[in-house]
Amino acid sequence: MNEQTVGQRIAALRAAQGLTQAQLGEQLGVSGKAVSKWEVGKCYPDITICPKLARLLHTKVDELLRDPEPAAENHPSLRDGHGGMQSLRSLYRIGVGPSSSHTMGPDRICRIFRGRHPDAARFSVVLYGSLASTGRGHGTDRVIRAVFADRPLDLQLNPDANLPFPNTMDLTAVYPDRTVTARAYSLGGGAIAFDGEAADEPDVYPHRSFYEIAQSVRAQGIRLYDYVRACEGDAIFDYLRTVWAQMQQTIRDGLNAEGVLPGGLGVERKAKFLHRSHYIGETADIQANRLIAAYAYACSEQNAAGGTVVTAPTCGSCGVLPAVLRYMQDKHGFSDAQICNALATGGIVGNLIKHNASISGAECGCQAEIGSACSMTAAALGELFEMGLGQIGYAAEVAMEHHLGLTCDPIGGLVQIPCIERNAVAAMRAINALSLANFLSETSKISFDTVVHTMYETGRDLNRVYRETAE
């Protein structure tokens, strides 16, 4: 980005409003010398004051910083390349941890199958791949037995089966005169599919790439959250308010909890300690890191303990987005409506990853979970600070790019080590991605669509033992 050009724009717009450098600085809470440095290209205004700066200069943030057009590079989905995307309700699911793919998904599958065969004498379930390898640590066996508690159940684990999709399960209903078998898949984030059946959730978004969505948004002169409203109606924001309320409750519950997490690893909860600790001489940056980490730990520890969380986009990565949004709301006073707009924007990014690649650690490693959560969070932050489309896309791309190749290898098959800590690290990395987008989006060479395509290819190339097998 040409800093001198940005500085010249600030100077011209300031002069047009009849403001001196000192007057503008006073309204922004900075010195006149700071404004002078912006105008001569020595530095940039901090991203947190860009929205206020733009309002004082009667412009928009993306116009002030000359937001670039998103790259036209557009890779089709590696899955099928057709159709649009499902509702954000399918991305942000409220449910019980510790795993959206190994707990929530199998629970849904079994309940549907059980409902289809209420009169069967007994049932059998075979878990394959990652479901079999880490099912006990993730509680898969527990939720399955609970669904079929009133009937005899034969539950088998087959971790060595070589199947195209790792989270596969076969279900059989046994009657006196026949048997009925179905194959189902837990796709990640609580999403499921039955073999040979159409998706039970229709597409509501007509586009399936960031480039296409950006073109539509630019043509209409709207923001990404307006696009969400246009596709889903006002009701989706009622749902996002419920999502945000649950995220906040999960943080509160996690900050108040103490003790050792279940599973046998002896992992102690740390969120409460992080939140209440304060070191002599603690700088503002260190305090920010501590608080963000505390909120991320709170969500992730609640998830590990089987508490209620929001998939964002999965249970294992549920702490990244709420941690950053909670911190930013506390620090800058963003309203709940602004937070919901950010959730909508981050949801579009998560939906694009989900439909064009994967959000399943068993399919593409932890890059598909923590990487996706970091990317969603960077985009959500971009909305909070009124960044332009190109900057939001760049922030999301940077956040994902630097998680490429990240493996999913949980100790003991539990969503604890290194999962909890990774949520905290990714939350802080999302803020770094936003900062880079503020300065460097015009220099971007890689589109968000390209990095999603690359993530999926990378994930499929990972050795299976690094894709949620705990081997």
Side-chain angles (χ1 to χ4, degrees), residues 251 288-300 312 317-328 369-381 399 403 419-435:
I251 291 174
N289 290 342
R290 177 175 59 80
L291 291 175
I292 291 168
Y295 302 148
Y297 268 78
C299 288
S300 299
S317 59
C318 69
V320 183
L321 183 56
V324 175
L325 293 182
R326 161 69 186 272
Y327 174 78
M328 291 298 176
E369 297 200 33
I370 284 293
S372 296
C374 187
S375 194
M376 291 169 62
T377 304
L381 281 171
H403 284 92
C419 318
I420 296 172
E421 192 174 84
R422 280 185 179 174
N423 276 261
V425 173
M428 291 179 278
R429 184 173 285 185
I431 297 174
N432 294 336
L434 180 75
S435 297

Side-chain angles (χ1 to χ4, degrees), residues 65-344:
L65 302 180
R66 288 283 168 85
D67 181 49
E69 290 275 352
E73 205 169 11
N74 177 26
H75 288 286
S77 165
L78 291 179
R79 293 192 178 282
D80 54 46
H82 302 292
M85 300 190 298
Q86 296 169 345
S87 169
L88 296 190
R89 295 173 185 268
S90 300
L91 183 77
Y92 294 124
R93 299 179 189 270
I94 300 173
V96 174
S99 172
S100 47
S101 59
H102 288 59
T103 310
M104 293 173 63
D107 179 69
R108 289 186 63 206
I109 289 169
C110 290
R111 290 185 184 279
I112 291 172
F113 190 76
R114 180 71 178 83
R116 292 175 179 178
H117 303 281
D119 300 324
R122 55 190 176 86
F123 293 89
S124 71
V125 176
V126 182
L127 303 179
Y128 299 102
S130 177
L131 285 179
S133 297
T134 62
R136 287 197 172 94
H138 287 28
T140 312
D141 57 336
R142 172 177 50 82
V143 298
I144 292 175
R145 293 188 188 282
V147 173
F148 296 107
D150 63 340
R151 293 288 191 278
L153 173 68
D154 178 23
L155 179 58
Q156 302 176 35
L157 307 180
N158 187 349
D160 299 321
N162 186 18
L163 297 175
F165 189 76
N167 286 341
T168 299
M169 52 194 295
D170 287 335
L171 304 95
T172 302
V174 181
Y175 293 88
D177 58 344
R178 71 188 192 281
T179 61
V180 180
T181 298
R183 172 160 288 185
Y185 312 97
S186 182
L187 304 175
I192 63 171
F194 280 86
D195 195 33
E197 298 184 18
D200 59 350
E201 299 171 18
D203 290 341
V204 298
Y205 292 94
H207 305 109
R208 197 164 171 169
S209 74
F210 188 82
Y211 175 71
E212 291 174 330
I213 292 173
Q215 291 294 96
S216 175
V217 167
R218 285 186 183 277
Q220 299 176 70
I222 61 177
R223 295 192 68 83
L224 283 170
Y225 66 82
D226 295 315
Y227 173 79
V228 170
R229 179 175 280 109
C231 292
E232 299 216 42
D234 291 335
I236 188 61
F237 285 87
D238 293 333
Y239 181 72
L240 291 177
R241 280 189 284 273
T242 301
V243 164
W244 177 231
Q246 180 57 59
M247 287 178 168
Q248 294 178 90
Q249 186 61 52
T250 302
I251 291 174
R252 285 193 292 269
D253 292 343
L255 291 178
N256 288 323
E258 296 178 292
V260 176
L261 293 171
L265 293 181
V267 176
E268 292 190 16
R269 287 178 178 263
K270 302 176 181 67
K272 186 175 183 178
F273 172 78
L274 282 169
H275 189 243
R276 296 188 176 184
S277 297
H278 186 277
Y279 297 100
I280 297 174
E282 184 176 65
T283 66
D285 286 342
I286 292 175
Q287 182 187 59
N289 290 342
R290 177 175 59 80
L291 291 175
I292 291 168
Y295 302 148
Y297 268 78
C299 288
S300 299
E301 288 170 352
Q302 283 300 101
N303 176 65
T308 302
V309 300
V310 178
T311 59
T314 65
C315 286
S317 59
C318 69
V320 183
L321 183 56
V324 175
L325 293 182
R326 161 69 186 272
Y327 174 78
M328 291 298 176
Q329 186 174 55
D330 288 349
K331 181 179 181 181
H332 298 288
F334 291 116
S335 67
D336 284 347
Q338 289 173 301
I339 295 294
C340 288
N341 290 342
L343 285 170

